[in-house]
């Protein structure tokens, strides 16, 4: 059964203060695949075998540097349609619009 999850992930698990990003994890044929919020494929499903449904809050160590935390379930239809990536792009645009413009000095 194919499943989809909204996740937070870091590729800096070895650092003292890792930077966390949002993304989507899919489980297909018991293999986990990770995508960032733009839809870029980040992690192949070779190293991890997932056989059960993942509960919210579950922490997964995908490899030496990548750690995922399951945030919520998501429908496969939402993932395949691309709506999840459009939503994150829209949130980024709103955040950029709210930032004040920096004053530049012209020399």
């Amino acid at each position: 059964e194919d499943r989809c999850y909204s996740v937070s992930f870091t590729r800096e698990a070895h650092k003292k203060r890792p930077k966390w990003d949002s993304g989507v994890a899919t489980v297909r044929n018991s293999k986990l695949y990770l995508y960032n919020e733009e839809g870029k494929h980040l992690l192949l499903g070779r190293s991890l075998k997932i056989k059960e449904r993942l509960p919210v809050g579950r922490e997964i160590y995908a490899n030496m540097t990548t750690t995922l935390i399951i945030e919520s379930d998501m429908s496969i239809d939402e993932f395949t349609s691309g709506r999840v990536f459009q939503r994150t792009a829209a949130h980024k645009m709103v955040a950029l619009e709210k930032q004040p413009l920096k004053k530049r000095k012209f020399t």
Side-chain angles (χ1 to χ4, degrees):
E1 174 187 353
D2 293 348
R3 293 178 299 280
C4 215
Y5 304 95
S6 175
V7 298
S8 292
F9 71 94
T10 183
R11 299 183 96 185
E12 303 172 340
H14 60 283
K15 291 188 176 181
K16 190 173 184 177
R17 291 186 181 91
K19 180 182 170 242
W20 290 87
D21 293 310
S22 297
V24 177
T26 61
V27 177
R28 285 178 274 151
N29 300 324
S30 299
K31 296 178 182 180
L32 184 118
Y33 300 89
L34 176 64
Y35 300 87
N36 68 5
E37 52 190 14
E38 284 87 32
K40 183 179 176 189
H41 191 243
L42 298 177
L43 185 69
L44 295 174
R46 294 184 196 142
S47 59
L48 268 165
K49 294 283 186 182
I50 307 290
K51 297 194 179 192
E52 73 277 351
R53 179 173 289 283
L54 299 171
V56 172
R58 170 91 180 262
E59 201 165 314
I60 299 169
Y61 301 99
N63 56 33
M64 295 295 284
T65 59
T66 306
T67 302
L68 297 99
I69 298 175
I70 304 298
E71 299 290 332
S72 64
D73 284 338
M74 179 186 304
S75 72
I76 286 289
D77 294 334
E78 189 175 1
F79 172 72
T80 54
S81 71
R83 286 190 307 259
V84 70
F85 303 117
Q86 292 169 355
R87 185 174 56 220
T88 55
H91 285 307
K92 279 189 171 185
M93 291 301 291
V94 170
L96 286 174
E97 288 172 2
K98 289 183 180 179
Q99 290 179 351
L101 295 175
K102 292 182 181 178
K103 293 183 180 178
R104 296 184 185 187
K105 292 182 180 178
F106 295 100
T107 55

